[in-house]
Amino acid sequence: MSGRTAIILGASGSVGQALLAEVVRCGGFSRILIMTRRPLNLQSGAQVEERLVPDMAPNELSQAVVDALRELGGEVLGFSVLGVGSGTAQLSLEAHRAVDVDLNAAFARGLKASGKVQHLVFMSAIGADPHSKTTGSGAAGMARYSRVKGEAEAAVRRQGPAVVSIFRPAIIIDSRHTPWLLSAVLPLFAPLTPAKFRSIRTTEIAQAMVAIALHPAPHSAIYNYPEMMTLIAGR
């Protein structure tokens, strides 16, 4: 067991749960901090600590991250898989940004301000583009959704640690937000789907994110499906 620490935002979601399980399973972290609004009551191992941020607003989150890391030594890796999930079609653009952009940017700022973190592993989505239209539906895959994801990427890269590894999954087939029928059918069409757009499992995203954290790249980069599979194969 190393003296390495992981600090995670978004551990309660489908990908977040898979990520936490993989961070614990890999044995590469002696301490795991979870930033959360409310207790998750996770049974994930003695090295997992929940740090509550009841008022999950940007300034409060940034300060909570700095406070959580203040006394830590050794290498610290940041992970964020925070996102609205389902229901973005019902949200206003501002409400969607408040979570995906503002909170992720605040987390990234806190990591940088702590002086302890040089690398953030961040989950976005395929098609992220800060120049997409802001009109129309905010549903996943639509232009407005891509705009918010692109803005989130730009914010964490601008305000966060020196290196940001951005993961852009397409449809996540075993997420609780993905209809079960779609999850069952999509893998059948994988051979006909361009590699960049292939569906992926939560566990595969988690494995790829942990792989890049344990063997970090020297510079920021974007990882689509093919690159994620390469990371998993090289673990």
Side-chain angles (χ1 to χ4, degrees):
M1 183 73 71
S2 74
R4 189 184 290 121
T5 296
I7 180 168
I8 302 173
L9 182 66
S12 64
S14 296
V15 177
Q17 291 175 26
L19 174 63
L20 176 59
E22 181 63 19
V23 169
V24 172
R25 186 208 63 79
C26 77
F29 298 88
S30 58
R31 196 170 186 181
I32 303 165
L33 307 180
I34 299 172
M35 309 305 295
T36 179
R37 184 196 304 270
R38 57 185 179 274
L40 301 179
N41 299 314
L42 300 169
Q43 304 298 319
S44 301
Q47 75 269 42
V48 179
E49 305 172 30
E50 295 183 9
R51 296 300 179 97
L52 298 183
V53 190
D55 182 10
M56 188 65 80
N59 289 340
E60 286 73 14
L61 175 58
S62 286
Q63 188 59 52
V65 170
V66 173
D67 292 343
L69 300 181
R70 180 168 285 120
E71 303 302 326
L72 290 184
E75 183 181 10
V76 183
L77 282 302
F79 295 87
S80 179
V81 290
L82 179 70
V84 172
S86 65
T88 54
Q90 285 73 49
L91 293 179
S92 67
L93 177 61
E94 292 72 23
H96 193 182
R97 280 173 169 157
V99 176
D100 283 47
V101 181
D102 296 347
L103 290 181
N104 277 307
F107 181 66
R109 285 197 306 274
L111 297 178
K112 183 176 182 179
S114 75
K116 305 288 180 68
V117 184
Q118 299 300 315
H119 186 195
L120 168 60
V121 185
F122 177 71
M123 189 179 78
S124 179
I126 195 73
D129 181 356
H131 304 295
S132 287
K133 294 180 179 179
T134 58
T135 54
S137 171
M142 304 299 286
R144 201 178 83 188
Y145 182 90
S146 297
R147 173 66 175 254
V148 173
K149 291 298 186 182
E151 289 177 353
E153 289 184 4
V156 299
R157 291 188 68 168
R158 183 174 63 252
Q159 301 179 44
V163 177
V164 180
S165 297
I166 296 173
F167 285 72
R168 290 182 177 175
I171 295 176
I172 304 172
I173 57 176
D174 56 348
S175 167
R176 62 172 176 257
H177 302 301
T178 303
W180 71 267
L181 183 59
L182 190 61
S183 292
V185 170
L186 277 175
L188 302 177
F189 292 91
L192 305 176
T193 305
K196 183 177 178 179
F197 299 98
R198 288 179 185 169
S199 57
I200 189 168
R201 298 185 182 279
T202 57
T203 52
E204 292 172 327
I205 299 170
Q207 289 166 7
M209 294 181 86
V210 171
I212 198 65
L214 295 179
H215 303 91
H219 52 75
S220 298
I222 293 171
Y223 300 85
N224 296 304
Y225 180 90
E227 294 80 22
M228 286 189 258
M229 293 301 105
T230 299
L231 287 171
I232 292 170
R235 289 182 304 162

